[in-house]
Amino acid sequence: MSNPTVINVVGVGVYTPEEAIELVSRAGVKKGTMRPDKVFMSAVSAGCLLSFAGAVMVSVTAAPWYQENAPGLIRMVGGLVFPLGLVMIFLTGADLFTGTNMYTGVAALHGRLSVGKMLLHWFLCFWGNLAGSLFVMALIFGYGGVFKGGVYKDQVIYLVTAKQIKPQFHEIFLRGIGCNWLVCLACYLGMQAKDLSSKIVGMWWPIFAFVSLGLDHVVANMFLVPMGLWLQAPGLTISMYIWKGIIPAGLGNIIGGAVFCGGYYYWMYIFRQPEITVDGAYYQPRPREDEHTLQVYRSGDDIEHRANGGGQNSSMDRVKEGDSSDRSSQTC
């Protein structure tokens, strides 16, 4: 009787933690070197998509009795539906300010992207996210009158009061750290998974956690707080939103994403460690147009392709920028 075949299923369908942060770094390079106009429009799209998720959360949590008697339960309901926003952003490859804090931050730490390009990407993503959020808030939900009365208006005012008016500056700042720590962890888990369903499941639960805990996401608030201003929430002003909303939440999100999540995994798996392969390929930066020789490293074997070599090298393997970084087109 022959011995049964033993199949090792550990790691099937996922990248290792080392490979996942390597993919984050490659994605950060790809994001940081995109044309500025494309970055901005991609960020506008992300702001629009996250605004739809915020509106869904407002709708499903508009339950005054539960807010009064079972606030934890209603927070859980909001946490279950809000992740659809990040999933749509991730799967469409749109650019979210809070996500790029990790992606381009890791690429900069890795020495693959300049700090200037990183900061430019952050700048474009922030204003693009704001433009997209305000567009959807005003056009669809403001002029559309979706939340203009009844329990829905009351819910918007309730959330704005709880998230913007009552908390102190330092409280919003610290909540922002925790929020983007979890958001970027969701992006990291999305990069680690190889199949669609695993990506969705991996991303869903960290987002569920930050919403259920009532933490502050600067881009999510770009829909919620302006919606409160549109509905004339008592005590809410634009100057308050900028000083006690955008600034502390934005700074906290940067630290949570770039340091607590991206910086940690960079230090654990990339800093002073051997170069990491993904799907058997090392990272290879895009060659300059005037380069005549491109060195491609694949699984430790050197393959030399000479651009002026004519047809004699036409059958040689070629690895484009980052090879597996093409998988990183699905990012947030």
Side-chain angles (χ1 to χ4, degrees), residues 1-16:
M1 181 177 180
S2 60
N3 293 327
T5 302
V6 177
I7 301 176
N8 181 9
V9 297
V10 176
V12 170
V14 297
Y15 291 105
T16 65

Side-chain angles (χ1 to χ4, degrees), residues 144-332:
V146 177
F147 300 135
K148 69 178 180 181
V151 295
Y152 298 109
K153 178 180 179 179
D154 293 341
Q155 178 63 9
V156 171
I157 294 174
Y158 171 84
L159 290 173
V160 168
T161 301
K163 295 182 71 65
Q164 182 62 71
I165 298 175
K166 289 184 177 180
Q168 299 298 310
F169 184 100
H170 72 279
E171 293 175 327
I172 296 175
F173 170 74
L174 294 173
R175 294 176 189 180
I177 292 176
C179 171
N180 210 31
W181 190 345
L182 290 169
V183 169
C184 287
L185 177 61
C187 296
Y188 175 82
L189 296 176
M191 299 295 288
Q192 190 171 14
K194 291 185 177 182
D195 62 278
L196 182 64
S197 58
S198 296
K199 287 179 181 292
I200 294 173
V201 171
M203 288 185 290
W204 207 273
W205 297 113
I207 306 301
F208 165 80
F210 107 69
V211 175
S212 298
L213 292 169
L215 304 180
D216 280 283
H217 189 276
V218 68
V219 183
N221 289 351
M222 288 175 182
F223 166 78
L224 181 62
V225 180
M227 192 75 251
L229 288 167
W230 186 282
L231 297 174
Q232 300 178 339
L236 182 64
T237 64
I238 295 176
S239 60
M240 174 189 286
Y241 172 47
I242 294 172
W243 167 244
K244 213 180 73 170
I246 289 177
I247 293 176
L251 291 175
N253 288 167
I254 289 171
I255 293 173
V259 179
F260 282 78
C261 189
Y264 168 75
Y265 290 115
Y266 167 80
W267 182 79
M268 280 294 296
Y269 301 122
I270 294 178
F271 183 65
R272 294 183 178 177
Q273 297 297 318
E275 193 173 356
I276 301 168
T277 61
V278 180
D279 294 330
Y282 287 100
Y283 169 77
Q284 180 63 38
R286 186 184 300 276
R288 296 188 305 271
E289 291 183 359
D290 59 347
E291 280 186 331
H292 297 290
T293 303
L294 171 63
Q295 294 290 339
V296 178
Y297 303 95
R298 191 175 188 84
S299 301
D301 297 326
D302 291 355
I303 303 172
E304 185 179 25
H305 168 65
R306 301 188 181 277
N308 293 331
Q312 66 186 57
N313 292 326
S314 60
S315 62
M316 301 186 73
D317 291 337
R318 303 176 185 180
V319 182
K320 296 183 179 179
E321 178 181 356
D323 192 50
S324 295
S325 64
D326 287 344
R327 297 178 183 271
S328 64
S329 59
Q330 291 179 335
T331 58
C332 57

Side-chain angles (χ1 to χ4, degrees), residues 132-146 223 227 230:
S133 299
L134 294 178
F135 175 78
V136 168
M137 182 280 297
L139 184 67
I140 307 297
F141 299 99
Y143 289 115
V146 177
F223 166 78
M227 192 75 251
W230 186 282

